[in-house]
Amino acid sequence: MTPGDDLTLTMKIVKDAPNELPKDTPADVACAVLGLLNKDQQKRLRPAEAYEMTHVSSIARLSRLAQMVKARAHGLHRHPSDGWRFARL
């Protein structure tokens, strides 16, 4: 890389919008990444804020997944209107 390439890359980072994230990126992760890359320093997320945003929701996702696995192991399934029910045979 030549010195001119460094300047070009720096200007691209400073001026251009970031590329789109993959479609399967979880919403909380996408929000954190775009918040960290915000060009407006006043609106830009701090790393600790981004971590908190994604860490809390990741724990919630894992907790829901663990509940589903445990319930299914006991023959339960999630009913949309009122929660867990035993699966009908």
Side-chain angles (χ1 to χ4, degrees):
M1 213 181 206
T2 65
D5 291 338
D6 288 343
L7 180 58
T8 302
L9 177 60
T10 301
M11 294 309 295
K12 179 175 174 47
I13 291 169
V14 170
K15 292 186 175 191
D16 293 352
N19 294 336
E20 284 190 33
L21 297 171
K23 300 271 187 233
D24 60 345
T25 303
D28 58 322
V29 174
C31 187
V33 169
L34 295 176
L36 289 166
L37 296 175
N38 195 315
K39 303 298 180 195
D40 184 344
Q41 189 174 6
Q42 299 297 321
K43 296 179 183 177
R44 189 177 308 136
L45 280 182
R46 294 184 180 126
E49 294 169 325
Y51 172 79
E52 182 71 22
M53 179 186 297
T54 56
H55 180 71
V56 170
S57 60
S58 295
I59 290 173
R61 278 196 301 270
L62 288 173
S63 176
R64 285 192 301 272
L65 178 61
Q67 286 176 346
M68 287 174 40
V69 168
K70 186 176 180 180
R72 287 185 180 160
H74 288 67
L76 297 170
H77 72 282
R78 183 84 174 155
H79 191 273
S81 64
D82 62 359
W84 295 101
R85 293 184 178 177
F86 280 102
R88 294 184 182 181
L89 300 174

